[in-house]
Amino acid sequence: MTDIFWGGAIIAIGLFMGGSVFLGEFSVWSVLFDGLGVFFVARGVIALVRQRSGS
């Protein structure tokens, strides 16, 4: 669950700084921040799914 929070925080930092892939800004830093944020969100979601399925 904390991975989802931190992933969202990293994406929010990019959004507030004005450089985000989600806003159409394609620079090295925006891709890096958003990619890292999406990675952590996906990692958290996968951990939750695995926890619920019992694996």
Side-chain angles (χ1 to χ4, degrees):
M1 188 68 172
T2 58
D3 287 335
I4 296 172
F5 171 76
W6 289 114
I10 292 170
I11 292 171
I13 289 170
L15 286 170
F16 288 127
M17 290 177 56
S20 177
V21 172
F22 301 114
L23 295 175
E25 298 284 332
F26 292 97
S27 69
V28 174
W29 289 111
S30 64
V31 171
L32 181 71
F33 266 92
D34 290 342
L36 190 63
V38 169
F39 168 76
F40 278 112
V41 168
R43 183 175 163 186
V45 168
I46 290 170
L48 284 175
V49 169
R50 285 184 180 167
Q51 183 181 14
R52 286 184 186 249
S53 68
S55 303

